[in-house]
Amino acid sequence: MKGYGWVACSVLLVSAAQLMMRWAMPRLPEFSSLLSLPAMAILPVLMLLAGLGAYGVSMLCWIRALHFFPLNRVYPLLSLSYVLVWLVAVSLPVFQEAFSWHSLIGVVMIVAGLLCIVVKS
């Protein structure tokens, strides 16, 4: 069970990283004005850096998870991050992501595919 904790940590961190970077990017000033960073751009820069840091820690968790499982058994679980990011992005107004039935069908297909792979092994 311990190995699945590392997988879950990796999936949650990579999902959080995506959401933090999505929040930060529209709020960042143009690249050319980053040298004279306005005070109101500090939070988006910090959020971007936190997202990048979460990616790094997620990778460390993933490396640890691979210590416990073969790649073909746990790699499909990374697709849960697509589901989590989509759910949070369409649920929270701060992301301004529109709900779409096509996207929902895609998410259901990801979950169904994941179940097929996990139940098989």
Coordinates of all heavy atoms in Angstrom, one line a residue, residues 9-90:
C9 N 0.5 10.8 -4.4 CA 1.2 12.1 -4.2 C 1.7 12.7 -5.5 O 1.5 13.9 -5.7 CB 2.4 11.8 -3.2 SG 3.1 13.3 -2.6
S10 N 2.2 11.9 -6.4 CA 2.7 12.3 -7.7 C 1.6 12.9 -8.5 O 1.6 14.0 -9.1 CB 3.4 11.2 -8.4 OG 3.9 11.6 -9.7
V11 N 0.4 12.1 -8.5 CA -0.7 12.6 -9.3 C -1.3 13.9 -8.8 O -1.6 14.8 -9.5 CB -1.8 11.5 -9.4 CG1 -3.1 12.0 -9.9 CG2 -1.3 10.3 -10.2
L12 N -1.4 14.0 -7.5 CA -2.0 15.2 -6.9 C -1.1 16.4 -7.1 O -1.5 17.5 -7.4 CB -2.2 15.0 -5.4 CG -3.4 14.0 -5.0 CD1 -3.4 13.7 -3.5 CD2 -4.7 14.5 -5.5
L13 N 0.2 16.2 -6.9 CA 1.2 17.3 -7.1 C 1.2 17.8 -8.6 O 1.3 19.0 -8.8 CB 2.6 16.9 -6.6 CG 2.8 16.9 -5.1 CD1 4.1 16.2 -4.7 CD2 2.7 18.3 -4.6
V14 N 1.2 16.8 -9.5 CA 1.3 17.3 -10.9 C 0.0 18.0 -11.3 O 0.0 18.9 -12.1 CB 1.6 16.1 -11.9 CG1 0.4 15.2 -12.1 CG2 2.2 16.6 -13.2
S15 N -1.1 17.5 -10.7 CA -2.4 18.2 -11.0 C -2.4 19.6 -10.4 O -2.8 20.6 -11.0 CB -3.6 17.4 -10.4 OG -3.6 16.1 -10.9
A16 N -1.9 19.7 -9.1 CA -1.8 21.1 -8.5 C -0.9 22.0 -9.3 O -1.1 23.2 -9.5 CB -1.3 20.9 -7.1
A17 N 0.2 21.4 -9.8 CA 1.2 22.2 -10.6 C 0.5 22.8 -11.8 O 0.7 23.9 -12.2 CB 2.4 21.3 -11.0
Q18 N -0.3 21.9 -12.5 CA -1.0 22.4 -13.7 C -1.9 23.5 -13.4 O -2.0 24.6 -14.1 CB -1.8 21.3 -14.4 CG -0.9 20.3 -15.1 CD -0.4 20.9 -16.4 OE1 -1.0 21.8 -17.0 NE2 0.8 20.5 -16.8
L19 N -2.7 23.4 -12.3 CA -3.6 24.4 -11.9 C -3.0 25.7 -11.5 O -3.4 26.8 -11.8 CB -4.6 23.8 -10.8 CG -5.5 22.7 -11.3 CD1 -6.1 22.0 -10.1 CD2 -6.6 23.3 -12.2
M20 N -1.9 25.6 -10.7 CA -1.2 26.8 -10.3 C -0.6 27.5 -11.5 O -0.7 28.8 -11.6 CB 0.0 26.4 -9.3 CG -0.5 26.0 -8.0 SD 0.9 25.8 -6.8 CE 1.3 24.1 -7.1
M21 N 0.0 26.8 -12.5 CA 0.5 27.5 -13.6 C -0.6 28.1 -14.5 O -0.5 29.2 -15.0 CB 1.4 26.5 -14.4 CG 2.7 26.2 -13.7 SD 3.9 25.3 -14.6 CE 3.0 23.7 -14.8
R22 N -1.7 27.4 -14.6 CA -2.9 27.9 -15.3 C -3.4 29.2 -14.7 O -3.7 30.2 -15.4 CB -4.0 26.9 -15.4 CG -5.3 27.4 -16.0 CD -5.2 27.9 -17.4 NE -6.4 28.3 -17.9 CZ -6.8 29.6 -18.0 NH1 -5.9 30.6 -17.6 NH2 -7.9 30.0 -18.5
W23 N -3.4 29.3 -13.4 CA -3.9 30.5 -12.7 C -2.9 31.6 -12.9 O -3.2 32.8 -13.2 CB -4.0 30.2 -11.2 CG -4.5 31.4 -10.5 CD1 -5.8 31.8 -10.3 CD2 -3.7 32.4 -9.9 NE1 -5.8 33.0 -9.6 CE2 -4.6 33.4 -9.4 CE3 -2.3 32.6 -9.8 CZ2 -4.1 34.5 -8.7 CZ3 -1.9 33.8 -9.1 CH2 -2.8 34.7 -8.6
A24 N -1.6 31.3 -12.9 CA -0.5 32.3 -12.9 C -0.3 32.9 -14.3 O -0.1 34.1 -14.4 CB 0.8 31.7 -12.4
M25 N -0.4 32.1 -15.3 CA 0.0 32.6 -16.7 C -0.8 33.8 -17.2 O -0.2 34.7 -17.7 CB 0.0 31.4 -17.7 CG 1.1 30.4 -17.4 SD 2.8 31.1 -17.2 CE 3.1 31.8 -18.7
P26 N -2.1 33.8 -17.1 CA -2.8 35.0 -17.6 C -2.6 36.2 -16.8 O -2.8 37.3 -17.2 CB -4.3 34.6 -17.5 CG -4.3 33.1 -17.2 CD -3.0 32.7 -16.7
R27 N -2.1 36.1 -15.6 CA -1.8 37.2 -14.7 C -0.4 37.8 -14.7 O -0.1 38.8 -14.1 CB -2.2 36.8 -13.2 CG -3.7 36.6 -13.1 CD -4.0 35.8 -11.8 NE -5.4 35.6 -11.6 CZ -6.2 34.7 -12.2 NH1 -5.6 33.9 -13.1 NH2 -7.5 34.6 -12.0
L28 N 0.5 37.1 -15.4 CA 1.8 37.5 -15.5 C 2.0 38.6 -16.5 O 1.3 38.6 -17.6 CB 2.8 36.4 -15.9 CG 3.1 35.4 -14.9 CD1 3.9 34.2 -15.5 CD2 3.9 36.0 -13.7
P29 N 2.9 39.6 -16.3 CA 3.1 40.6 -17.3 C 3.9 40.0 -18.5 O 4.4 38.9 -18.4 CB 3.9 41.7 -16.5 CG 4.6 40.9 -15.4 CD 3.6 39.8 -15.1
E30 N 4.0 40.8 -19.5 CA 4.8 40.3 -20.7 C 6.2 40.0 -20.3 O 6.7 40.6 -19.3 CB 4.8 41.4 -21.8 CG 3.4 41.6 -22.4 CD 3.0 40.4 -23.2 OE1 3.8 39.7 -23.8 OE2 1.8 40.1 -23.1
F31 N 6.8 39.1 -21.0 CA 8.2 38.7 -20.6 C 9.2 39.8 -20.6 O 10.0 39.9 -19.7 CB 8.7 37.6 -21.6 CG 10.0 37.0 -21.3 CD1 10.1 36.1 -20.2 CD2 11.1 37.4 -22.0 CE1 11.3 35.6 -19.9 CE2 12.3 36.8 -21.6 CZ 12.4 35.9 -20.6
S32 N 9.0 40.8 -21.5 CA 10.0 41.9 -21.5 C 9.9 42.8 -20.3 O 10.9 43.5 -19.9 CB 9.7 42.7 -22.8 OG 8.4 43.2 -22.8
S33 N 8.7 42.8 -19.6 CA 8.6 43.7 -18.4 C 8.8 42.9 -17.1 O 8.6 43.5 -16.1 CB 7.2 44.3 -18.4 OG 6.2 43.4 -18.3
L34 N 9.3 41.7 -17.2 CA 9.5 40.9 -16.0 C 10.7 41.5 -15.2 O 10.8 41.3 -14.0 CB 9.7 39.4 -16.3 CG 8.5 38.6 -16.5 CD1 8.8 37.2 -16.9 CD2 7.6 38.7 -15.4
L35 N 11.6 42.1 -15.9 CA 12.8 42.7 -15.2 C 12.4 43.8 -14.2 O 13.0 43.9 -13.1 CB 13.8 43.2 -16.2 CG 14.5 42.1 -17.0 CD1 15.4 42.7 -18.0 CD2 15.2 41.1 -16.2
S36 N 11.4 44.6 -14.6 CA 10.9 45.6 -13.7 C 9.5 45.2 -13.2 O 8.5 45.8 -13.5 CB 10.8 47.0 -14.4 OG 9.9 46.8 -15.5
L37 N 9.5 44.1 -12.4 CA 8.3 43.4 -12.0 C 7.5 44.3 -11.1 O 7.9 44.8 -10.0 CB 8.7 42.2 -11.2 CG 7.7 41.2 -10.9 CD1 7.1 40.6 -12.2 CD2 8.2 40.1 -10.0
P38 N 6.2 44.6 -11.6 CA 5.3 45.4 -10.7 C 4.9 44.6 -9.5 O 4.9 43.3 -9.6 CB 4.1 45.7 -11.7 CG 4.3 44.7 -12.8 CD 5.7 44.2 -12.9
A39 N 4.6 45.3 -8.4 CA 4.2 44.6 -7.2 C 3.1 43.7 -7.3 O 3.0 42.6 -6.7 CB 3.9 45.7 -6.1
M40 N 2.1 44.0 -8.2 CA 0.9 43.1 -8.4 C 1.2 41.9 -9.1 O 0.4 40.9 -9.1 CB -0.2 43.9 -9.0 CG 0.1 44.3 -10.4 SD -1.2 45.4 -11.0 CE -1.2 45.0 -12.7
A41 N 2.4 41.7 -9.7 CA 2.8 40.5 -10.4 C 3.6 39.6 -9.6 O 3.9 38.5 -10.0 CB 3.6 40.9 -11.7
I42 N 3.8 39.9 -8.3 CA 4.6 39.0 -7.5 C 3.9 37.7 -7.2 O 4.4 36.6 -7.2 CB 5.0 39.8 -6.2 CG1 6.0 40.8 -6.5 CG2 5.6 38.8 -5.2 CD1 6.4 41.7 -5.4
L43 N 2.6 37.8 -6.9 CA 1.8 36.6 -6.6 C 1.8 35.6 -7.8 O 2.0 34.4 -7.6 CB 0.4 37.0 -6.1 CG -0.5 35.8 -5.7 CD1 0.2 35.0 -4.6 CD2 -1.9 36.2 -5.3
P44 N 1.5 36.1 -9.0 CA 1.5 35.2 -10.1 C 2.9 34.5 -10.3 O 3.0 33.4 -10.6 CB 1.1 36.0 -11.3 CG 0.3 37.1 -10.7 CD 0.9 37.4 -9.4
V45 N 4.0 35.3 -10.1 CA 5.3 34.7 -10.3 C 5.5 33.7 -9.2 O 6.1 32.6 -9.5 CB 6.4 35.9 -10.2 CG1 7.8 35.3 -10.0 CG2 6.3 36.7 -11.4
L46 N 5.1 34.0 -8.0 CA 5.3 33.0 -6.9 C 4.5 31.7 -7.2 O 4.9 30.6 -6.9 CB 4.9 33.6 -5.5 CG 5.8 34.7 -5.0 CD1 5.2 35.3 -3.7 CD2 7.2 34.1 -4.8
M47 N 3.3 31.9 -7.7 CA 2.4 30.8 -8.0 C 3.0 30.0 -9.2 O 3.0 28.7 -9.1 CB 1.0 31.3 -8.4 CG 0.0 30.1 -8.5 SD -0.4 29.3 -7.0 CE -1.4 30.5 -6.2
L48 N 3.6 30.6 -10.1 CA 4.3 29.9 -11.2 C 5.5 29.1 -10.7 O 5.6 27.9 -11.0 CB 4.8 30.9 -12.3 CG 5.5 30.3 -13.5 CD1 4.7 29.3 -14.3 CD2 6.1 31.4 -14.4
L49 N 6.3 29.7 -9.8 CA 7.4 29.0 -9.2 C 6.9 27.9 -8.4 O 7.5 26.8 -8.4 CB 8.3 30.0 -8.4 CG 9.0 31.1 -9.3 CD1 9.7 32.0 -8.4 CD2 9.9 30.4 -10.2
A50 N 5.8 28.1 -7.6 CA 5.3 27.0 -6.8 C 4.8 25.8 -7.7 O 5.0 24.6 -7.4 CB 4.1 27.5 -6.0
G51 N 4.2 26.1 -8.8 CA 3.8 25.1 -9.8 C 5.0 24.3 -10.3 O 4.9 23.1 -10.4
L52 N 6.0 25.0 -10.7 CA 7.2 24.4 -11.2 C 7.9 23.5 -10.1 O 8.3 22.4 -10.3 CB 8.2 25.4 -11.7 CG 7.8 26.1 -13.0 CD1 8.8 27.3 -13.2 CD2 7.7 25.2 -14.1
G53 N 7.8 24.0 -8.8 CA 8.3 23.2 -7.7 C 7.5 22.0 -7.5 O 8.0 20.9 -7.2
A54 N 6.2 22.1 -7.6 CA 5.3 21.0 -7.4 C 5.6 19.9 -8.5 O 5.5 18.7 -8.2 CB 3.8 21.4 -7.5
Y55 N 5.9 20.4 -9.7 CA 6.3 19.4 -10.7 C 7.5 18.6 -10.3 O 7.6 17.4 -10.5 CB 6.6 20.1 -12.1 CG 5.5 20.0 -13.1 CD1 5.0 21.2 -13.7 CD2 5.0 18.8 -13.5 CE1 4.0 21.1 -14.6 CE2 4.0 18.7 -14.4 CZ 3.5 19.8 -15.0 OH 2.5 19.8 -15.9
G56 N 8.5 19.4 -9.8 CA 9.7 18.7 -9.4 C 9.5 17.7 -8.3 O 10.0 16.5 -8.3
V57 N 8.7 18.1 -7.3 CA 8.5 17.1 -6.2 C 7.6 16.0 -6.7 O 7.8 14.8 -6.2 CB 7.8 17.9 -5.0 CG1 7.4 16.9 -3.9 CG2 8.7 19.0 -4.4
S58 N 6.7 16.2 -7.6 CA 5.9 15.2 -8.2 C 6.8 14.1 -8.9 O 6.6 12.9 -8.7 CB 4.9 15.8 -9.2 OG 4.3 14.7 -9.9
M59 N 7.8 14.6 -9.5 CA 8.7 13.7 -10.2 C 9.5 12.9 -9.2 O 9.7 11.7 -9.4 CB 9.7 14.5 -11.1 CG 10.6 13.6 -12.0 SD 9.7 12.6 -13.1 CE 8.8 13.8 -14.1
L60 N 9.9 13.5 -8.1 CA 10.6 12.7 -7.0 C 9.6 11.6 -6.5 O 10.1 10.5 -6.2 CB 11.1 13.6 -5.9 CG 12.2 14.6 -6.3 CD1 12.5 15.5 -5.2 CD2 13.4 13.9 -6.8
C61 N 8.4 12.0 -6.3 CA 7.4 11.0 -5.8 C 7.2 9.9 -6.8 O 7.1 8.7 -6.5 CB 6.1 11.6 -5.5 SG 6.1 12.8 -4.1
W62 N 7.2 10.2 -8.1 CA 7.1 9.2 -9.2 C 8.3 8.3 -9.2 O 8.1 7.1 -9.3 CB 6.9 9.9 -10.5 CG 6.7 9.0 -11.6 CD1 7.5 8.7 -12.6 CD2 5.5 8.1 -11.8 NE1 6.9 7.7 -13.4 CE2 5.7 7.4 -12.9 CE3 4.3 8.0 -11.1 CZ2 4.8 6.5 -13.4 CZ3 3.4 7.1 -11.5 CH2 3.6 6.3 -12.7
I63 N 9.4 8.8 -9.0 CA 10.6 8.0 -9.0 C 10.5 7.0 -7.8 O 10.9 5.8 -7.9 CB 11.9 8.8 -8.9 CG1 12.1 9.6 -10.3 CG2 13.1 8.0 -8.5 CD1 13.2 10.6 -10.2
R64 N 10.1 7.5 -6.7 CA 9.9 6.6 -5.5 C 8.9 5.5 -5.8 O 9.0 4.4 -5.4 CB 9.6 7.5 -4.3 CG 9.6 6.7 -3.0 CD 11.0 6.3 -2.6 NE 10.9 5.5 -1.4 CZ 11.6 4.5 -1.2 NH1 12.5 4.1 -2.0 NH2 11.5 3.8 -0.1
A65 N 7.8 5.9 -6.4 CA 6.7 4.9 -6.7 C 7.2 3.8 -7.6 O 6.8 2.7 -7.5 CB 5.5 5.7 -7.4
L66 N 8.1 4.2 -8.6 CA 8.6 3.2 -9.5 C 9.5 2.2 -8.7 O 9.8 1.1 -9.3 CB 9.4 3.8 -10.6 CG 8.6 4.6 -11.6 CD1 9.4 5.3 -12.6 CD2 7.5 3.7 -12.3
H67 N 9.9 2.5 -7.6 CA 10.7 1.6 -6.7 C 9.8 0.4 -6.3 O 10.3 -0.7 -6.1 CB 11.2 2.3 -5.5 CG 11.9 1.4 -4.5 ND1 13.2 1.0 -4.7 CD2 11.5 0.9 -3.3 CE1 13.5 0.2 -3.7 NE2 12.5 0.2 -2.8
F68 N 8.5 0.6 -6.2 CA 7.5 -0.4 -5.7 C 6.8 -1.1 -6.8 O 6.3 -2.2 -6.5 CB 6.5 0.3 -4.8 CG 7.1 0.9 -3.5 CD1 7.4 2.2 -3.4 CD2 7.3 0.1 -2.4 CE1 7.9 2.7 -2.3 CE2 7.8 0.6 -1.3 CZ 8.1 1.9 -1.2
F69 N 6.7 -0.5 -8.0 CA 5.8 -1.1 -9.0 C 6.5 -1.1 -10.4 O 7.3 -0.2 -10.6 CB 4.5 -0.3 -9.2 CG 3.7 -0.2 -7.9 CD1 3.6 1.0 -7.2 CD2 3.0 -1.3 -7.4 CE1 2.9 1.1 -6.1 CE2 2.3 -1.2 -6.3 CZ 2.2 0.0 -5.6
P70 N 6.1 -2.0 -11.2 CA 6.6 -1.9 -12.6 C 5.9 -0.8 -13.3 O 4.8 -0.4 -13.0 CB 6.2 -3.3 -13.2 CG 5.2 -3.8 -12.4 CD 5.4 -3.2 -11.0
L71 N 6.6 -0.2 -14.3 CA 6.0 1.0 -15.0 C 4.7 0.7 -15.6 O 3.8 1.5 -15.6 CB 7.0 1.4 -16.0 CG 6.7 2.7 -16.8 CD1 6.6 3.9 -15.8 CD2 7.7 3.0 -17.9
N72 N 4.5 -0.5 -16.3 CA 3.3 -0.8 -17.0 C 2.1 -0.9 -16.0 O 0.9 -0.8 -16.4 CB 3.4 -2.0 -17.8 CG 3.6 -3.3 -17.1 OD1 3.8 -3.3 -15.9 ND2 3.4 -4.4 -17.8
R73 N 2.3 -1.1 -14.7 CA 1.2 -1.2 -13.8 C 0.8 0.2 -13.2 O -0.4 0.4 -13.0 CB 1.7 -2.1 -12.6 CG 0.6 -2.3 -11.7 CD 0.9 -3.5 -10.7 NE 0.0 -3.5 -9.6 CZ 0.3 -3.9 -8.4 NH1 1.5 -4.4 -8.2 NH2 -0.6 -3.9 -7.5
V74 N 1.7 1.1 -13.1 CA 1.3 2.4 -12.5 C 1.3 3.6 -13.5 O 0.6 4.6 -13.2 CB 2.3 2.8 -11.3 CG1 2.1 1.8 -10.1 CG2 3.7 2.8 -11.7
Y75 N 1.9 3.4 -14.6 CA 1.9 4.6 -15.5 C 0.5 5.0 -15.9 O 0.2 6.2 -16.0 CB 2.7 4.2 -16.8 CG 2.9 5.4 -17.7 CD1 3.7 6.5 -17.3 CD2 2.2 5.5 -18.9 CE1 3.9 7.6 -18.1 CE2 2.4 6.6 -19.7 CZ 3.2 7.6 -19.3 OH 3.3 8.7 -20.1
P76 N -0.4 4.1 -16.2 CA -1.8 4.5 -16.5 C -2.4 5.4 -15.4 O -3.3 6.2 -15.7 CB -2.6 3.2 -16.7 CG -1.5 2.2 -17.0 CD -0.3 2.6 -16.3
L77 N -2.0 5.2 -14.2 CA -2.6 6.0 -13.1 C -2.3 7.5 -13.2 O -3.0 8.3 -12.7 CB -2.1 5.5 -11.7 CG -2.6 4.1 -11.4 CD1 -1.9 3.6 -10.1 CD2 -4.1 4.0 -11.3
L78 N -1.2 7.8 -14.0 CA -0.9 9.3 -14.2 C -2.1 10.0 -14.9 O -2.2 11.2 -14.8 CB 0.4 9.4 -14.9 CG 1.6 9.2 -14.2 CD1 2.9 9.4 -15.1 CD2 1.7 10.1 -13.0
S79 N -2.9 9.2 -15.7 CA -4.0 9.8 -16.4 C -5.0 10.4 -15.5 O -5.9 11.2 -15.9 CB -4.6 8.8 -17.4 OG -5.2 7.7 -16.7
L80 N -5.0 10.0 -14.2 CA -5.9 10.6 -13.3 C -5.7 12.1 -13.1 O -6.6 12.8 -12.8 CB -5.8 9.9 -11.9 CG -6.3 8.5 -11.8 CD1 -5.9 7.9 -10.4 CD2 -7.8 8.5 -12.0
S81 N -4.5 12.5 -13.4 CA -4.2 14.0 -13.3 C -5.1 14.7 -14.4 O -5.5 15.8 -14.1 CB -2.8 14.3 -13.5 OG -2.3 14.0 -14.8
Y82 N -5.3 14.2 -15.5 CA -6.1 14.8 -16.5 C -7.5 15.0 -16.0 O -8.2 16.0 -16.2 CB -6.2 14.0 -17.8 CG -4.9 13.8 -18.5 CD1 -4.3 12.6 -18.7 CD2 -4.1 14.9 -19.0 CE1 -3.1 12.4 -19.3 CE2 -2.9 14.8 -19.6 CZ -2.4 13.5 -19.8 OH -1.2 13.3 -20.4
V83 N -8.0 14.0 -15.3 CA -9.4 14.0 -14.8 C -9.5 15.0 -13.7 O -10.4 15.8 -13.7 CB -9.8 12.6 -14.3 CG1 -11.1 12.6 -13.6 CG2 -9.8 11.6 -15.4
L84 N -8.5 15.0 -12.8 CA -8.5 15.9 -11.6 C -8.4 17.4 -12.1 O -9.2 18.3 -11.6 CB -7.4 15.6 -10.7 CG -7.5 14.3 -9.9 CD1 -6.2 14.1 -9.1 CD2 -8.7 14.3 -9.0
V85 N -7.5 17.7 -13.0 CA -7.3 19.0 -13.5 C -8.6 19.5 -14.2 O -9.1 20.6 -14.0 CB -6.1 19.1 -14.4 CG1 -6.1 20.5 -15.2 CG2 -4.8 18.9 -13.7
W86 N -9.2 18.7 -15.0 CA -10.4 19.0 -15.7 C -11.6 19.3 -14.7 O -12.2 20.4 -14.8 CB -10.9 18.0 -16.7 CG -12.1 18.3 -17.5 CD1 -12.2 19.1 -18.6 CD2 -13.4 17.9 -17.1 NE1 -13.5 19.2 -19.0 CE2 -14.3 18.5 -18.1 CE3 -14.0 17.2 -16.2 CZ2 -15.7 18.4 -18.1 CZ3 -15.4 17.0 -16.2 CH2 -16.2 17.6 -17.1
L87 N -11.7 18.4 -13.7 CA -12.8 18.6 -12.7 C -12.6 19.9 -12.0 O -13.6 20.7 -11.8 CB -12.8 17.5 -11.8 CG -13.4 16.2 -12.3 CD1 -13.2 15.0 -11.3 CD2 -14.9 16.3 -12.5
V88 N -11.4 20.2 -11.5 CA -11.2 21.5 -10.8 C -11.3 22.7 -11.7 O -12.0 23.7 -11.3 CB -9.8 21.4 -10.1 CG1 -9.5 22.8 -9.5 CG2 -9.7 20.3 -9.0
A89 N -10.8 22.6 -12.9 CA -10.8 23.8 -13.8 C -12.3 24.2 -14.2 O -12.6 25.3 -14.3 CB -10.0 23.5 -15.0
V90 N -13.1 23.2 -14.4 CA -14.5 23.5 -14.8 C -15.4 23.8 -13.6 O -16.4 24.4 -13.7 CB -15.2 22.5 -15.7 CG1 -14.4 22.3 -17.0 CG2 -15.3 21.2 -15.0

